[in-house]
Structures are given as structure tokens and as C-alpha cells.
Amino acid sequence: MKIKLLIFLLLISFIQPIKSQTNNDKMQWFEKARWGMFIHWGLYSVPAGVYNGLNTEGETVNYTDITDPTGVGAEWMMKRARIPKEVYAEYADRLSSENWNPDAICLMAQKMGMKYIIVTSKHHDGFMMYPSSYDDYNITKSKADPEALLKLKQKCDEYGLKFGVYFSQNYDWFQPGGFGQENVSGTDIYSYEEHKNYVDRKVLPVIDELVDKFDPAVIWWDIPTGCPYKDLSDRINQKYKDRAENIILSNDRLSEWHSGDFGTGEGNICFKKREYNENCFTLNWTWGYSKNKDNKEYFFTPENFFQRNILESIARSQNVLLNISPMADGGLSNLTQETIGCLTKYIQNNQIEISGTQRVNKYSFPNWGKMIKKGNELILFIYPTKENRKNKYIYVDGINTENLISNPALNIEIISKDRLKINNLDLGNSLFPAVIKLKFDGDITCYDYNIIDNNTNVLNINAFDMIDGAGYLDGFDDTIYMQYLIYGTFTTRILYNGPSELKKISLNNTGSGSNDIIIILKINDKEYQLDAGNQYSIDQISFSNGKIYDLSIEKVYHNSNFNISNLSFKTSELDHNKINKQEQPELKITNTNTGINISGQQSGQPIVISTISGTIMKNIKASKTIENISLQPGIYIITSLGKTYKTIVY
């Protein structure tokens, strides 16, 4: 009896620590991994963004994803083209795994230094990419290897890669009761009980199945607004928690009521105030394979992808997922392989180890590029801009220089304990950022500010370089890729070392239609309104030597997207413009059968309607009353002149 008891106690000692992990414990591998691969492969890979035939209303349609006004990828085409279920199901005959190569995929990820892979087990079209026992609408209906995903999981184990599954838990456009199957007018075609039956019949048992079959490190949910019923989302979350045992991670896309372990940014930097975040990016503006977007007109250049997506994420200690879109036969297009090959070559040639990197700056970014750190090494990424090429030097601000280890190969000039200058830079002809590594004797201390003095009286800060908020790519030229759209709050921090005097702050923008843009700029907690009336500038702002200033763009009111190229600080002798804050009326929002009505606003007042996850659905300049704004069922955030409203469309 004593021997049995001892064995039992030993078992408990081994088991208990696993289930009692703190959230920080289970997040350790995720934070260290820093980047991975996303794979969108499914039935949608067959039509690849093109459909010519009858829709669910019996109308002849000629659909292409590149002309879809919503801008969604090819993976949405069943819903967007309204393809009948029986027609869409026939695509299974053309789905194969002839060129599906798990070994090559894992090797590709390993060469780039990736540490995990997420693959779609079921997307919104409802098709299961493995032989599910709970839905016969699955990969066994196709010509593909039924265990294609399991073999990828096994290869991930061999290569030391974590494996996760994407599962669209809410949207299912095929099975009865699945969410997202609205009719033409946008009305949900199923009752609450029918949705509940779908959750019980498919979603809950599939979670068990995914855990048992794949032992995933991550379950990647999607469409958090897809289910408007909190009790059903609670049941899904409880099933996840029962099986996760505080080990399996999940993102923030189960529902608006469940935050998961990490925040997500889709095609942009995550602006949520989370300890852990992950941003996922496509190579060519579609998650599923698209025939029409498989060309250089739509593909990011490798240089642009690294700078705009990878570097911007890791400089904020946010994880990155690079998406690949296998074709119907499981293979990757030539342009996909070429783009990834260029990224891999740059990463390897510069010995860049993304895994384990951490942010250096929390309140400021240098205007010449980005800095990250790994251990006692400070890694500088210098943008190949015209200014950097011309100057051939950069200032590294806010870093304690006292324990810098000298490097004879670099022309380094120590200016002060918080500033150094690197001279004689040769950026070459590459459009990738140049990489310089500085080693320190011990920890890297960051004071976290840019320095303004007489020699650098103008500080250019690209919109996406500002720390907080989200940015979206707008365009780029042959040397600099930094024109971004503004949403959210953007902040930077400076140490002013010039003479104590009045300064003029001006926001130079490259957006069109700037006459009706209103910007709220905050300087050390005091707000100023910038608009066409004051030429987007503030005069006679007192700057004192040795003082730190936080500057943030709090709001941008406009009926369309707006770009801010830089902030510039200049001495001013002009009179200060007195700025009165604009009156902000209360909006009245009422629900209709197909959406909402809005009233109570001033004529011309900008109004933005977005999903709970931050996707902009409507961006309008209001008249006195706006009626019949068509919206799909879900939870929406309405913002206007600094005020936020929430509404649910049923």
C-alpha cells in the first residue's frame, strides 16, 4: 500500500506543475519564437479567386477577387460570389496533394529562422482539411492525401517547430446552422436554436478532435464578431479551456468576450494594449491562392515585406506570421518561392536571428530605421533612404554608450553618454535595410528618446515609426517605403537639447483632400487642434533645454484615409493661434432589419464604423441623418470626433 501511495504521489508531482503553469510560463516559447509561418490551403485554392457561373439567386456572375469592392482574398469567394453549395463542393475533385511537400515547407521555415507553423484545418467555407468524424464534408472527398496536415505536423516535430491549427469556429458557409450564411439582404437565415445545434454538433467535438489528432501548440480562432450570442461563445471557450490545460495557446479572435493569450494584427501592426501580440501578413494581399494576384503587381517586394511587416513587428516585440498560399495541388507558385528565397538570403547573409529578439524602444524610434536587441547585441537596421545615403552617418540616441565594446571596423564617435554617431556608412545599392551590430559589455540600457538639438532641429518621423497605433501600407517609391495610413494613437518621445525658446510644430502631410482634415496633437498631456485654418501647425510652443517631451497624434478626423509623412520642429516667431476644441454632439444610433440608422450629428461630421477587431467597414462624412446603413450581423464600433459607440446588428 505504501509503495502504491508513493507511486501515486510521484505521478502527482510530475503532472501538477504542468497544469499550474502561469500565463507567463506557457507564453515563454511564443515570446521567444518571435516569428512563424501561416498556411492557407483549402477548397478555395481550386477556383483561386475566379468564378463564372450561376449564383445562389440563379444569376450569371463573372467574379474575380481583384474587382471585389471589399478587398477580401480569394478564400472568401464562396460567400462573395454567392456560389451554390453543390457547385462549390465539386471543387473537391480538383484538390490534390501532388505537390504538397511538408518536408520542403518545414525546411523553408527553418532556413528563415521560423519557430512555428499555423495551418488552416477549416476556413469559413466549412471544408475540413483532415478526415473529420464530425463532418463528412472533408478532405476525403478530394484527391488529396487525407493525412496531409498530420504529415506536416509530424515534420514540424522532426524540425523542432511548434505546430498550430487555424479553426474558423464561427463562420461556416456550408453546414446548417453555421454563422455567416446571411441572405442577400444581410439577414441571418438561422435561428438561435439552429446555431446552437451547429455549435454542439460540429464546433465543440471538432475542438476535441483537433487536440487529440494534432496536439497543437496554438488554436488560431477567427471572426470574433461571427457569433453574436455570448452563451454560445462561452461554451466554445469552456471546451477550449477544458482541453488546453493551460498549455495550448489561443488568440483573441474567439469572440469579443474572450481575449485569449495574445492580440492579433491582420495586415497591420497590432495596436491593442496586450503583453503579447502577433501580426500576420500576406505576400500578395490574399490569404488563399489567387490566380489574379500571383504576379508582381500584387506581391510585396522582399525588401518591402521585411521592412514594413517583419521589422516593424519585431521592433515592437510583436510576433510575425508570414502567410503562404499553396495552389490546388499543394505546391507554391514560382513568385512565392522567389520572394521567400530573397528574404531567406537577406536573413542568412546578415546573420539575422529573429527568434529571441526584443524591442529596444518603447516611446521612440530613430528616424533612420529601427533597433532591436538580442542579449548584449544591439542590431541597427538602417533604411536605404535618399537622406541616409546622402548623409552617410546616423545618430543613435537614447542608448547608454558607457559599456559599448569598441569595433575597429566601424567609425563610431561617442557624443555623450546617451548619443553616438556612426560615420562613413556605405548602404550599397540594396533596397533592404543595412545591418550593423553593436556589442555591449552587459545589458543594453535604453533611455528611450530621440534627441533634438541645434544640429538636428528638424526631426522627421514617419507615421509608422511612431510607437502606438496601427498602420496600413499606402504606397512606396524606389527608395523609401514609409507612406502609411493613420488609425489609432501615435506617440513619440524626444529629449530637447537645443536652446530654451519658442518652437513651431508642423505636420507635413501627403494626403489628398487635406482641407477638411482635423488632427488632435497632444504634447505632454496638452491637446491642440490642427486643421487647414492653422495650416496644420502650432506656434509659440515653449521648449526647454534638457526636458523630455511626448508627442502623440490622438485622433485624425477625415472622410477618407490620410497620410502623415513627418513631424518637423522649427524655431518660430509667429503669434500663437488660440485653438478652441470643436463641439462634439451625441450620436443617436438605431437598429434596422438590415443595419443601422445614425442621427444627431453635424453636417459633414466624419463617422467611422468598424468591427470589434478593428476592420474598417464604413468611413463616411455624415449628413444630418444617415439611414439604412447596411451591415452584416455582428458587433460594431462607431467613432466620431473622439467619441465611441457600440452597437449590435442582429
Side-chain angles (χ1 to χ4, degrees), residues 253 264-272 279-281 285 300 304 308-309 312 316 463-465 468-476 481-488 490 561-564 608 610-611 613-617 619:
R253 297 189 175 202
T264 53
E266 182 174 332
N268 61 276
I269 299 300
C270 183
F271 58 90
K272 300 161 188 171
N279 307 313
C280 54
F281 298 98
W285 306 103
F300 280 102
N304 196 6
R308 185 256 184 188
N309 299 334
E312 295 289 349
R316 294 169 170 81
F464 209 62
D465 288 347
D468 296 327
Y472 296 79
L473 182 69
D474 181 44
F476 52 87
Y481 321 103
M482 303 307 292
Q483 301 295 325
Y484 289 87
L485 309 182
I486 295 289
Y487 296 105
F490 289 75
N561 297 325
F562 172 62
N563 304 337
I564 296 177
V608 176
S610 60
T611 65
S613 62
T615 302
I616 302 273
M617 304 300 295
N619 201 339

Side-chain angles (χ1 to χ4, degrees), residues 36 56 110 257 278 321 406 449 462 491 601 634:
T56 52
Q110 185 187 68
W257 302 286
E278 175 191 75
L321 284 181
S406 62
Y449 46 65
N462 292 294
T491 304
Q601 66 275 14

Side-chain angles (χ1 to χ4, degrees), residues 371-389:
M371 298 188 291
I372 60 173
K373 65 180 180 179
K374 185 167 185 176
N376 66 340
E377 191 171 62
L378 182 68
I379 308 170
L380 315 179
F381 293 88
I382 306 168
Y383 299 149
T385 62
K386 292 177 181 177
E387 182 178 5
N388 286 340
R389 290 183 192 276

Side-chain angles (χ1 to χ4, degrees), residues 508-556:
N508 300 324
N509 71 78
T510 59
S512 59
S514 59
N515 288 337
D516 55 0
I517 297 171
I518 301 172
I519 300 167
I520 303 301
L521 178 67
K522 182 185 286 187
I523 306 174
N524 285 5
D525 297 324
K526 186 174 182 180
E527 290 188 354
Y528 301 89
Q529 178 172 304
L530 288 76
D531 52 35
N534 55 33
Q535 298 181 331
Y536 300 100
S537 62
I538 313 168
D539 304 323
Q540 294 198 28
I541 302 298
S542 178
F543 279 80
S544 300
N545 180 271
K547 187 174 180 180
I548 292 175
Y549 293 86
D550 287 329
L551 297 97
S552 62
I553 300 172
E554 295 291 304
K555 299 289 181 183
V556 178

Side-chain angles (χ1 to χ4, degrees), residues 277-323:
N277 293 293
E278 175 191 75
N279 307 313
C280 54
F281 298 98
T282 67
L283 290 173
N284 59 332
W285 306 103
T286 179
W287 298 101
Y289 177 70
S290 167
K291 298 174 185 176
N292 291 314
K293 294 181 180 178
D294 190 14
N295 58 68
K296 292 191 175 182
E297 179 182 355
Y298 287 92
F299 263 77
F300 280 102
T301 65
E303 301 91 342
N304 196 6
F305 190 91
F306 182 85
Q307 183 168 304
R308 185 256 184 188
N309 299 334
I310 299 174
L311 188 53
E312 295 289 349
S313 297
I314 64 177
R316 294 169 170 81
S317 284
Q318 298 189 8
N319 284 23
V320 192
L321 284 181
L322 178 155
N323 182 72

Side-chain angles (χ1 to χ4, degrees), residues 107-165:
L107 181 60
M108 176 187 295
Q110 185 187 68
K111 285 183 176 180
M112 287 192 287
M114 293 175 170
K115 298 300 180 182
Y116 63 112
I117 292 178
I118 309 292
V119 66
T120 49
S121 64
K122 178 190 85 74
H123 209 271
H124 312 328
D125 60 0
F127 189 78
M128 308 293 291
M129 287 297 289
Y130 67 93
S132 174
S133 300
Y134 300 98
D135 191 343
D136 61 4
Y137 181 56
N138 65 49
I139 198 169
T140 61
K141 301 288 187 182
S142 74
K143 296 177 181 177
D145 182 347
E147 300 298 352
L149 264 58
L150 182 60
K151 290 179 179 178
L152 177 64
K153 154 67 177 174
Q154 292 167 345
K155 283 297 177 183
C156 283
D157 290 344
E158 289 181 23
Y159 278 83
L161 300 169
K162 296 282 188 178
F163 179 84
V165 289

